Amino acid sequence: MAVESLLPANFGYAIFTYLYSFVMLMYLGVQVGGARKKFGVKYPTMYSDKEQVFNCIQRAHQNTLEVYPQWLVFQTIAALEYPIAASVLGVIWVTSRFSYAWGYYSGDPAKRMRGAYGYIGLFGVILLSISVALKLLGVL
């Protein structure tokens, strides 16, 4: 059975959203690697006692990794029923992680809130996932 017969016609947009998220994660990881060299923070040390900017760069990546699995689940559930809406919301969330990181990279943790608009994308796919669940249960 071909994958095209299993997935919604516009699920390709969701796949491109996943690819975009991969680029974002790799970018954040590379930034941490560069900061390790710049600030002399050796593996396996997670945080520096001396370099606040390194800690901000590390936290931007770590925080994204902490929420990423949940986002993937809700993104996928939502995209199976609402591929275009989920993809738009996914792009909002992924883009917000760049804004979040760039704010954090300033060394002022309060500037990470520049990425707060990402909650639109995250809560959006959560709401769409709830809709899918209610449809499956015959409530909607």
Side-chain angles (χ1 to χ4, degrees), residues 18-140:
Y18 297 135
L19 292 170
Y20 180 39
S21 75
F22 173 78
V23 170
M24 176 268 298
L25 286 178
M26 292 301 100
Y27 173 82
L28 297 182
V30 166
Q31 298 309 303
V32 174
R36 282 188 177 281
K37 286 182 182 177
K38 179 178 180 180
F39 296 109
V41 179
K42 305 290 184 214
Y43 287 105
T45 304
M46 286 289 285
Y47 298 102
S48 172
D49 292 334
K50 302 172 190 158
E51 300 293 345
Q52 176 70 12
V53 174
F54 171 79
N55 292 340
C56 290
I57 294 167
Q58 169 69 8
R59 277 302 303 151
H61 185 236
Q62 186 66 37
N63 180 266
T64 301
L65 291 174
E66 290 164 4
V67 72
Y68 191 70
Q70 296 87 343
W71 173 78
L72 278 175
V73 169
F74 293 122
Q75 179 69 25
T76 300
I77 293 167
L80 287 170
E81 183 71 19
Y82 308 103
I84 294 174
S87 297
V88 169
L89 291 166
V91 166
I92 290 169
W93 184 79
V94 173
T95 302
S96 79
R97 299 315 295 183
F98 284 110
S99 301
Y100 175 88
W102 293 330
Y104 228 154
Y105 294 171
S106 71
D108 178 1
K111 291 184 180 174
R112 74 189 190 285
M113 297 311 293
R114 294 176 179 170
Y117 65 91
Y119 286 112
I120 295 167
L122 178 60
F123 292 142
V125 293
I126 290 171
L127 289 173
L128 290 179
S129 294
I130 291 169
S131 173
V132 172
L134 292 172
K135 283 182 176 186
L136 288 170
L137 294 171
V139 177
L140 288 180

